[in-house]
Amino acid sequence: MKKILNILIAALMVTVVCSCNRGYSIYGELPVDGSNGATVYLLNPTDGSKIDSTTIEGNLFQFKGTVDQTQVAVISSVVNAQQFQSTVVLENGQIHINLVNDSLYGTPMNDLYFQAFTADTTARRLETVLRDCTSRLYAAATPEEQVAIAADYSVAMSAYEAYQKNHFRKVYEQNPDNIIGACALCELIDYEDEDLTFFKLDSIMTHSSKAITDFEPLKKAHKWLFNLSNTSEGKRYVDIEGIDFATGNPTRLSNMLSPEQVTLIDFWASWCGPCRKEISENLVRLYDKYNSKGLNIIGVDVWDKIPDHKKAVETLGITYPQLIDTTRTATDNYGVNGIPTILLLDHDGTILKRNLRGEDIEPAIVEALGIK
Protein backbone atom coordinates (compact mmCIF):
# COMPACT_ATOMS: atom_id res chain seq x y z
CA MET A 1 0.00 0.00 0.00
CA LYS A 2 2.83 2.38 0.92
CA LYS A 3 4.54 1.64 -2.42
CA ILE A 4 1.34 2.39 -4.33
CA LEU A 5 0.90 5.64 -2.36
CA ASN A 6 4.46 6.71 -3.17
CA ILE A 7 3.84 6.04 -6.86
CA LEU A 8 0.66 8.13 -6.78
CA ILE A 9 2.44 11.00 -5.00
CA ALA A 10 5.27 10.86 -7.54
CA ALA A 11 2.79 10.87 -10.40
CA LEU A 12 0.99 13.83 -8.88
CA MET A 13 4.27 15.73 -8.50
CA VAL A 14 5.11 15.08 -12.17
CA THR A 15 1.66 16.34 -13.16
CA VAL A 16 2.11 19.49 -11.09
CA VAL A 17 5.57 20.13 -12.55
CA CYS A 18 4.31 19.58 -16.09
CA SER A 19 1.34 21.88 -15.46
CA CYS A 20 3.67 24.61 -14.20
CA ASN A 21 5.94 24.27 -17.23
CA ARG A 22 3.16 24.35 -19.81
CA GLY A 23 3.23 27.53 -21.89
CA TYR A 24 5.65 30.42 -21.99
CA SER A 25 6.17 33.35 -19.66
CA ILE A 26 8.07 36.34 -21.03
CA TYR A 27 9.56 38.69 -18.44
CA GLY A 28 10.63 41.85 -20.22
CA GLU A 29 12.38 45.11 -19.41
CA LEU A 30 12.33 48.47 -21.14
CA PRO A 31 14.44 50.61 -18.78
CA VAL A 32 14.03 54.05 -20.36
CA ASP A 33 12.37 57.23 -19.12
CA GLY A 34 8.76 57.48 -20.18
CA SER A 35 8.18 53.76 -20.73
CA ASN A 36 5.71 53.40 -17.88
CA GLY A 37 2.19 53.18 -19.25
CA ALA A 38 3.39 52.51 -22.80
CA THR A 39 1.95 49.57 -24.71
CA VAL A 40 4.21 46.73 -25.76
CA TYR A 41 3.14 44.32 -28.49
CA LEU A 42 3.88 40.69 -29.24
CA LEU A 43 3.70 40.38 -33.04
CA ASN A 44 3.74 37.74 -35.75
CA PRO A 45 6.89 38.47 -37.83
CA THR A 46 5.35 37.13 -41.04
CA ASP A 47 2.49 39.61 -41.35
CA GLY A 48 2.87 41.93 -38.34
CA SER A 49 -0.42 40.79 -36.81
CA LYS A 50 -0.86 41.11 -33.05
CA ILE A 51 -0.46 38.01 -30.90
CA ASP A 52 -0.80 39.86 -27.59
CA SER A 53 -0.27 43.24 -25.95
CA THR A 54 0.31 44.54 -22.46
CA THR A 55 1.24 47.70 -20.55
CA ILE A 56 4.67 48.53 -19.13
CA GLU A 57 4.76 49.16 -15.39
CA GLY A 58 7.94 50.05 -13.52
CA ASN A 59 9.87 49.55 -16.78
CA LEU A 60 8.71 45.91 -16.73
CA PHE A 61 6.20 43.94 -18.76
CA GLN A 62 5.04 40.35 -19.02
CA PHE A 63 3.41 38.05 -21.56
CA LYS A 64 1.99 34.60 -20.92
CA GLY A 65 0.64 32.16 -23.46
CA THR A 66 0.81 28.74 -25.02
CA VAL A 67 2.09 27.49 -28.36
CA ASP A 68 1.52 24.19 -30.11
CA GLN A 69 5.04 24.32 -31.49
CA THR A 70 8.05 26.59 -31.20
CA GLN A 71 7.71 29.81 -33.18
CA VAL A 72 9.36 33.20 -33.54
CA ALA A 73 7.71 36.47 -32.50
CA VAL A 74 8.66 40.13 -32.34
CA ILE A 75 8.28 42.30 -29.24
CA SER A 76 7.81 45.98 -30.09
CA SER A 77 7.09 49.23 -28.27
CA VAL A 78 7.37 52.94 -29.02
CA VAL A 79 8.50 55.31 -26.26
CA ASN A 80 9.10 59.02 -26.87
CA ALA A 81 8.90 58.46 -30.64
CA GLN A 82 11.67 55.85 -30.44
CA GLN A 83 10.92 52.27 -31.42
CA PHE A 84 12.31 49.38 -29.40
CA GLN A 85 12.06 45.99 -31.02
CA SER A 86 13.52 42.54 -30.42
CA THR A 87 12.93 38.98 -31.58
CA VAL A 88 11.98 36.20 -29.19
CA VAL A 89 11.38 32.47 -29.58
CA LEU A 90 8.05 31.34 -28.15
CA GLU A 91 8.57 28.02 -26.41
CA ASN A 92 7.54 26.57 -23.08
CA GLY A 93 9.44 28.01 -20.13
CA GLN A 94 10.50 31.32 -18.63
CA ILE A 95 11.99 33.80 -21.09
CA HIS A 96 13.81 36.99 -20.12
CA ILE A 97 14.38 39.87 -22.52
CA ASN A 98 15.64 43.47 -22.36
CA LEU A 99 14.53 45.70 -25.24
CA VAL A 100 17.36 48.18 -24.67
CA ASN A 101 20.44 45.95 -24.68
CA ASP A 102 18.72 43.04 -26.52
CA SER A 103 19.70 40.47 -23.88
CA LEU A 104 17.68 37.26 -24.22
CA TYR A 105 17.85 34.08 -22.17
CA GLY A 106 15.91 31.45 -20.27
CA THR A 107 15.01 28.62 -22.65
CA PRO A 108 17.18 26.49 -24.97
CA MET A 109 16.10 28.09 -28.26
CA ASN A 110 16.27 31.64 -26.89
CA ASP A 111 19.76 31.03 -25.55
CA LEU A 112 20.76 29.73 -28.99
CA TYR A 113 19.07 32.63 -30.78
CA PHE A 114 20.88 35.18 -28.64
CA GLN A 115 24.27 33.62 -29.34
CA ALA A 116 23.64 33.26 -33.08
CA PHE A 117 21.89 36.55 -33.86
CA THR A 118 22.56 39.10 -31.12
CA ALA A 119 25.80 38.42 -29.27
CA ASP A 120 28.00 38.29 -32.39
CA THR A 121 30.70 40.88 -31.58
CA THR A 122 32.19 40.84 -35.09
CA ALA A 123 28.86 41.72 -36.69
CA ARG A 124 28.29 44.48 -34.12
CA ARG A 125 31.75 45.93 -34.84
CA LEU A 126 31.09 45.97 -38.58
CA GLU A 127 27.70 47.60 -37.99
CA THR A 128 29.45 50.32 -35.97
CA VAL A 129 31.76 50.99 -38.92
CA LEU A 130 28.74 51.32 -41.23
CA ARG A 131 27.00 53.74 -38.85
CA ASP A 132 30.20 55.79 -38.60
CA CYS A 133 30.43 56.01 -42.39
CA THR A 134 26.81 57.15 -42.56
CA SER A 135 27.40 59.87 -39.95
CA ARG A 136 30.52 61.07 -41.75
CA LEU A 137 28.63 61.13 -45.06
CA TYR A 138 25.96 63.45 -43.65
CA ALA A 139 28.66 65.68 -42.15
CA ALA A 140 30.82 65.83 -45.29
CA ALA A 141 31.54 69.41 -46.38
CA THR A 142 32.47 68.80 -50.03
CA PRO A 143 31.45 66.48 -52.87
CA GLU A 144 34.98 65.06 -52.87
CA GLU A 145 34.60 64.06 -49.22
CA GLN A 146 31.23 62.47 -49.97
CA VAL A 147 32.72 60.37 -52.77
CA ALA A 148 35.59 59.17 -50.55
CA ILE A 149 33.27 58.31 -47.65
CA ALA A 150 30.82 56.57 -49.99
CA ALA A 151 33.71 54.39 -51.18
CA ASP A 152 34.56 53.56 -47.55
CA TYR A 153 30.92 52.66 -46.93
CA SER A 154 30.84 50.38 -49.97
CA VAL A 155 33.93 48.51 -48.76
CA ALA A 156 32.51 48.21 -45.24
CA MET A 157 29.15 46.96 -46.53
CA SER A 158 30.83 44.34 -48.71
CA ALA A 159 32.81 43.10 -45.70
CA TYR A 160 29.68 43.05 -43.53
CA GLU A 161 27.58 41.12 -46.05
CA ALA A 162 30.37 38.59 -46.70
CA TYR A 163 30.78 38.02 -42.97
CA GLN A 164 27.05 37.66 -42.37
CA LYS A 165 26.61 35.16 -45.18
CA ASN A 166 29.44 32.99 -43.87
CA HIS A 167 28.17 33.32 -40.29
CA PHE A 168 24.59 32.31 -41.07
CA ARG A 169 25.73 29.37 -43.21
CA LYS A 170 27.54 28.07 -40.12
CA VAL A 171 24.52 28.73 -37.90
CA TYR A 172 22.32 26.68 -40.23
CA GLU A 173 24.88 23.87 -40.46
CA GLN A 174 24.95 23.70 -36.65
CA ASN A 175 21.13 23.84 -36.38
CA PRO A 176 19.72 21.98 -39.41
CA ASP A 177 16.65 20.68 -37.58
CA ASN A 178 15.45 23.49 -35.34
CA ILE A 179 13.98 26.96 -35.56
CA ILE A 180 17.40 28.63 -35.25
CA GLY A 181 18.44 26.95 -38.48
CA ALA A 182 15.20 28.14 -40.11
CA CYS A 183 15.96 31.73 -39.02
CA ALA A 184 19.49 31.43 -40.44
CA LEU A 185 18.12 30.30 -43.81
CA CYS A 186 15.82 33.34 -43.87
CA GLU A 187 18.82 35.58 -43.22
CA LEU A 188 20.74 33.99 -46.09
CA ILE A 189 17.82 34.64 -48.42
CA ASP A 190 17.63 38.27 -47.27
CA TYR A 191 21.34 38.66 -48.01
CA GLU A 192 20.74 37.11 -51.46
CA ASP A 193 23.32 34.42 -50.80
CA GLU A 194 24.26 33.10 -54.23
CA ASP A 195 24.85 29.62 -52.78
CA LEU A 196 21.24 29.33 -51.60
CA THR A 197 19.41 28.84 -54.88
CA PHE A 198 15.72 28.01 -55.03
CA PHE A 199 16.55 24.41 -55.90
CA LYS A 200 18.82 24.00 -52.88
CA LEU A 201 16.27 25.56 -50.55
CA ASP A 202 13.52 23.43 -52.09
CA SER A 203 15.56 20.31 -51.35
CA ILE A 204 16.09 21.49 -47.76
CA MET A 205 12.37 22.20 -47.33
CA THR A 206 11.48 18.78 -48.74
CA HIS A 207 13.78 16.72 -46.55
CA SER A 208 14.02 18.68 -43.28
CA SER A 209 12.20 18.41 -39.97
CA LYS A 210 8.90 20.18 -39.25
CA ALA A 211 10.80 22.90 -37.39
CA ILE A 212 12.21 23.90 -40.78
CA THR A 213 9.35 23.05 -43.14
CA ASP A 214 6.60 24.58 -40.96
CA PHE A 215 8.45 27.83 -40.23
CA GLU A 216 6.12 30.46 -41.75
CA PRO A 217 8.74 33.13 -42.58
CA LEU A 218 10.80 30.46 -44.36
CA LYS A 219 7.75 29.19 -46.26
CA LYS A 220 7.10 32.74 -47.42
CA ALA A 221 10.77 33.18 -48.41
CA HIS A 222 10.67 29.83 -50.23
CA LYS A 223 7.74 31.05 -52.33
CA TRP A 224 9.51 34.36 -53.04
CA LEU A 225 12.67 32.55 -54.13
CA PHE A 226 10.62 30.30 -56.42
CA ASN A 227 8.98 33.34 -58.05
CA LEU A 228 12.37 35.01 -58.43
CA SER A 229 13.78 31.89 -60.10
CA ASN A 230 10.68 31.53 -62.26
CA THR A 231 11.14 35.06 -63.64
CA SER A 232 14.91 35.02 -64.05
CA GLU A 233 16.71 35.71 -67.32
CA GLY A 234 15.86 33.09 -69.93
CA LYS A 235 12.42 32.34 -68.46
CA ARG A 236 9.09 33.43 -69.94
CA TYR A 237 7.26 36.37 -68.41
CA VAL A 238 4.47 35.75 -65.89
CA ASP A 239 1.11 37.35 -66.64
CA ILE A 240 -0.29 40.05 -64.34
CA GLU A 241 -3.87 41.21 -63.83
CA GLY A 242 -4.68 44.85 -63.25
CA ILE A 243 -6.25 47.98 -64.71
CA ASP A 244 -5.19 49.71 -67.92
CA PHE A 245 -4.52 53.25 -66.70
CA ALA A 246 -5.41 54.75 -70.09
CA THR A 247 -8.91 53.23 -70.22
CA GLY A 248 -9.67 52.35 -66.60
CA ASN A 249 -10.67 48.87 -67.73
CA PRO A 250 -9.48 45.53 -66.30
CA THR A 251 -6.77 43.94 -68.40
CA ARG A 252 -3.70 41.74 -68.27
CA LEU A 253 -0.04 42.29 -69.05
CA SER A 254 -0.36 39.82 -71.93
CA ASN A 255 -2.92 42.11 -73.61
CA MET A 256 -0.40 44.96 -73.57
CA LEU A 257 2.44 43.01 -75.20
CA SER A 258 3.06 42.73 -78.93
CA PRO A 259 5.14 40.11 -80.78
CA GLU A 260 6.36 42.96 -82.97
CA GLN A 261 8.05 44.74 -80.05
CA VAL A 262 10.58 44.14 -77.34
CA THR A 263 9.18 45.37 -74.03
CA LEU A 264 10.73 47.05 -71.03
CA ILE A 265 8.70 46.43 -67.86
CA ASP A 266 9.20 48.91 -65.03
CA PHE A 267 7.84 48.08 -61.56
CA TRP A 268 7.50 51.46 -59.86
CA ALA A 269 5.40 53.69 -57.58
CA SER A 270 4.71 57.41 -57.45
CA TRP A 271 6.23 57.82 -53.97
CA CYS A 272 9.51 56.10 -54.93
CA GLY A 273 12.28 58.67 -55.51
CA PRO A 274 14.66 56.32 -57.40
CA CYS A 275 11.72 55.21 -59.57
CA ARG A 276 10.88 58.77 -60.54
CA LYS A 277 14.53 59.51 -61.27
CA GLU A 278 14.83 56.45 -63.53
CA ILE A 279 11.72 57.51 -65.42
CA SER A 280 12.67 61.18 -65.82
CA GLU A 281 16.31 60.55 -66.72
CA ASN A 282 15.98 57.42 -68.85
CA LEU A 283 12.65 55.76 -69.59
CA VAL A 284 10.75 58.72 -71.07
CA ARG A 285 13.73 59.56 -73.28
CA LEU A 286 14.30 55.95 -74.37
CA TYR A 287 10.63 55.45 -75.24
CA ASP A 288 10.64 58.56 -77.43
CA LYS A 289 13.88 57.45 -79.08
CA TYR A 290 13.15 53.78 -79.73
CA ASN A 291 9.37 53.31 -79.79
CA SER A 292 9.25 53.75 -83.58
CA LYS A 293 12.05 51.18 -83.88
CA GLY A 294 10.21 48.44 -81.99
CA LEU A 295 10.43 49.27 -78.27
CA ASN A 296 7.49 49.26 -75.92
CA ILE A 297 7.66 50.24 -72.25
CA ILE A 298 5.03 49.23 -69.73
CA GLY A 299 4.98 50.76 -66.28
CA VAL A 300 3.56 48.43 -63.64
CA ASP A 301 2.39 50.62 -60.77
CA VAL A 302 2.65 48.78 -57.42
CA TRP A 303 1.97 49.58 -53.75
CA ASP A 304 0.34 52.85 -54.81
CA LYS A 305 -2.87 54.89 -55.02
CA ILE A 306 -4.42 55.71 -58.40
CA PRO A 307 -4.72 59.49 -57.78
CA ASP A 308 -1.04 59.63 -56.79
CA HIS A 309 -0.14 57.57 -59.85
CA LYS A 310 -2.14 59.90 -62.12
CA LYS A 311 -0.36 62.96 -60.75
CA ALA A 312 3.07 61.33 -61.20
CA VAL A 313 2.29 60.33 -64.81
CA GLU A 314 1.38 63.93 -65.62
CA THR A 315 4.34 65.43 -63.75
CA LEU A 316 6.91 63.07 -65.27
CA GLY A 317 5.47 63.29 -68.79
CA ILE A 318 4.93 59.54 -69.16
CA THR A 319 3.31 58.59 -72.48
CA TYR A 320 3.91 54.84 -72.50
CA PRO A 321 1.27 52.33 -71.21
CA GLN A 322 0.63 51.84 -67.51
CA LEU A 323 -0.78 48.76 -65.74
CA ILE A 324 -2.14 49.37 -62.23
CA ASP A 325 -1.52 46.38 -59.96
CA THR A 326 -4.87 46.39 -58.16
CA THR A 327 -4.53 42.77 -56.97
CA ARG A 328 -1.24 43.49 -55.13
CA THR A 329 0.27 40.33 -56.60
CA ALA A 330 2.62 41.64 -59.30
CA THR A 331 5.68 42.01 -57.09
CA ASP A 332 5.07 38.62 -55.48
CA ASN A 333 4.78 36.93 -58.87
CA TYR A 334 8.11 38.40 -59.95
CA GLY A 335 9.98 38.03 -56.65
CA VAL A 336 10.34 41.80 -56.41
CA ASN A 337 11.31 43.12 -52.98
CA GLY A 338 12.44 46.60 -54.01
CA ILE A 339 11.60 49.14 -56.69
CA PRO A 340 12.36 50.18 -59.31
CA THR A 341 12.80 46.72 -60.80
CA ILE A 342 13.19 46.82 -64.59
CA LEU A 343 13.01 43.82 -66.94
CA LEU A 344 13.49 43.55 -70.69
CA LEU A 345 11.38 41.04 -72.68
CA ASP A 346 12.13 39.69 -76.14
CA HIS A 347 9.45 39.58 -78.86
CA ASP A 348 8.31 36.14 -77.70
CA GLY A 349 8.03 37.09 -74.01
CA THR A 350 11.37 35.66 -72.92
CA ILE A 351 13.04 37.66 -70.14
CA LEU A 352 16.32 38.92 -71.63
CA LYS A 353 17.51 41.10 -68.75
CA ARG A 354 16.49 41.66 -65.17
CA ASN A 355 17.37 44.44 -62.73
CA LEU A 356 18.39 46.93 -65.40
CA ARG A 357 19.26 50.40 -64.11
CA GLY A 358 20.70 53.66 -65.37
CA GLU A 359 23.27 53.56 -68.13
CA ASP A 360 22.83 49.79 -68.61
CA ILE A 361 19.29 50.14 -69.98
CA GLU A 362 19.95 51.65 -73.41
CA PRO A 363 22.67 49.17 -74.52
CA ALA A 364 20.34 46.28 -73.57
CA ILE A 365 17.53 47.81 -75.66
CA VAL A 366 19.82 48.42 -78.64
CA GLU A 367 21.04 44.81 -78.51
CA ALA A 368 17.49 43.41 -78.24
CA LEU A 369 16.32 45.52 -81.20
CA GLY A 370 19.31 44.42 -83.27
CA ILE A 371 20.40 47.98 -83.90
CA LYS A 372 24.00 48.35 -85.01
Side-chain angles (χ1 to χ4, degrees):
M1 182 66 181
K2 185 176 181 181
K3 183 176 181 180
I4 294 174
L5 184 60
N6 288 339
I7 291 173
L8 290 173
I9 292 172
L12 180 61
M13 290 178 65
V14 169
T15 301
V16 171
V17 170
C18 290
S19 296
C20 291
N21 286 337
R22 287 179 62 186
Y24 60 82
S25 296
I26 301 174
Y27 299 96
E29 298 178 65
L30 185 49
V32 296
D33 292 338
S35 69
N36 291 332
T39 302
V40 59
Y41 296 93
L42 189 65
L43 305 172
N44 184 321
T46 305
D47 58 12
S49 59
K50 186 180 76 172
I51 300 172
D52 200 355
S53 64
T54 189
T55 302
I56 301 172
E57 297 180 6
N59 296 333
L60 304 176
F61 60 89
Q62 184 177 349
F63 291 108
K64 286 190 175 184
T66 59
V67 284
D68 295 329
Q69 65 183 54
T70 302
Q71 65 186 70
V72 168
V74 172
I75 298 177
S76 180
S77 184
V78 175
V79 176
N80 298 326
Q82 181 179 359
Q83 184 173 35
F84 297 87
Q85 187 166 290
S86 292
T87 300
V88 64
V89 181
L90 299 183
E91 64 176 346
N92 293 337
Q94 294 187 1
I95 304 162
H96 300 265
I97 189 167
N98 186 309
L99 298 188
V100 173
N101 62 24
D102 293 324
S103 67
L104 176 67
Y105 65 93
T107 64
M109 288 299 108
N110 280 291
D111 291 344
L112 274 174
Y113 188 93
F114 179 75
Q115 292 301 321
F117 293 89
T118 309
D120 187 340
T121 56
T122 302
R124 302 294 83 79
R125 177 179 58 79
L126 291 171
E127 288 170 358
T128 299
V129 173
L130 288 170
R131 284 194 296 269
D132 178 63
C133 285
T134 302
S135 298
R136 289 166 51 212
L137 190 60
Y138 281 120
T142 66
E144 291 76 16
E145 284 184 84
Q146 291 179 342
V147 170
I149 296 169
D152 291 343
Y153 181 89
S154 179
V155 171
M157 178 58 77
S158 296
Y160 177 70
E161 290 182 346
Y163 174 80
Q164 291 290 68
K165 288 178 185 180
N166 185 58
H167 171 70
F168 289 121
R169 286 189 206 113
K170 291 180 180 177
V171 171
Y172 169 69
E173 290 167 359
Q174 294 166 357
N175 300 274
D177 294 314
N178 63 42
I179 201 167
I180 305 304
C183 290
L185 287 173
C186 287
E187 291 289 340
L188 287 172
I189 294 170
D190 283 345
Y191 280 106
E192 299 182 356
D193 182 16
E194 60 278 359
D195 292 335
L196 188 60
T197 63
F198 163 72
F199 301 102
K200 185 172 181 178
L201 180 61
D202 191 55
S203 178
I204 290 171
M205 296 287 285
T206 302
H207 300 100
S208 294
S209 68
K210 286 177 67 65
I212 299 291
T213 59
D214 289 352
F215 188 53
E216 285 298 329
L218 188 57
K219 288 164 68 174
K220 185 176 181 180
H222 175 256
K223 181 180 179 182
W224 174 80
L225 204 57
F226 167 77
N227 290 337
L228 183 64
S229 174
N230 194 47
T231 55
S232 59
E233 293 178 7
K235 299 292 183 67
R236 183 172 171 77
Y237 80 96
V238 172
D239 212 357
I240 301 170
E241 295 181 356
I243 291 177
D244 183 342
F245 177 67
T247 65
N249 297 324
T251 189
R252 305 177 69 92
L253 176 62
S254 54
N255 296 332
M256 304 174 78
L257 300 177
S258 168
E260 298 177 357
Q261 296 175 307
V262 299
T263 303
L264 202 71
I265 299 178
D266 175 34
F267 293 89
W268 74 290
S270 63
W271 47 262
C272 169
C275 298
R276 297 176 72 104
K277 182 178 180 182
E278 200 70 76
I279 291 168
S280 62
E281 294 185 359
N282 291 300
L283 302 190
V284 170
R285 174 182 61 84
L286 293 173
Y287 184 71
D288 291 343
K289 183 175 181 180
Y290 293 106
N291 177 240
S292 62
K293 300 176 182 178
L295 172 70
N296 189 23
I297 298 179
I298 299 174
V300 178
D301 183 81
V302 299
W303 311 328
D304 211 348
K305 298 177 180 178
I306 293 181
D308 295 337
H309 173 80
K310 182 176 185 296
K311 184 177 180 180
V313 167
E314 294 171 352
T315 301
L316 295 169
I318 298 173
T319 57
Y320 49 82
Q322 297 288 307
L323 179 66
I324 310 297
D325 175 32
T326 53
T327 64
R328 302 271 174 163
T329 59
T331 52
D332 288 340
N333 290 339
Y334 278 80
V336 171
N337 61 359
I339 52 175
T341 292
I342 301 174
L343 293 76
L344 181 63
L345 307 186
D346 204 352
H347 301 81
D348 62 359
T350 300
I351 299 172
L352 297 174
K353 298 288 184 180
R354 183 173 172 130
N355 297 326
L356 286 169
R357 292 294 296 274
E359 61 185 17
D360 294 330
I361 299 175
E362 186 167 8
I365 291 172
V366 169
E367 181 181 357
L369 292 173
I371 298 174
K372 296 182 180 179

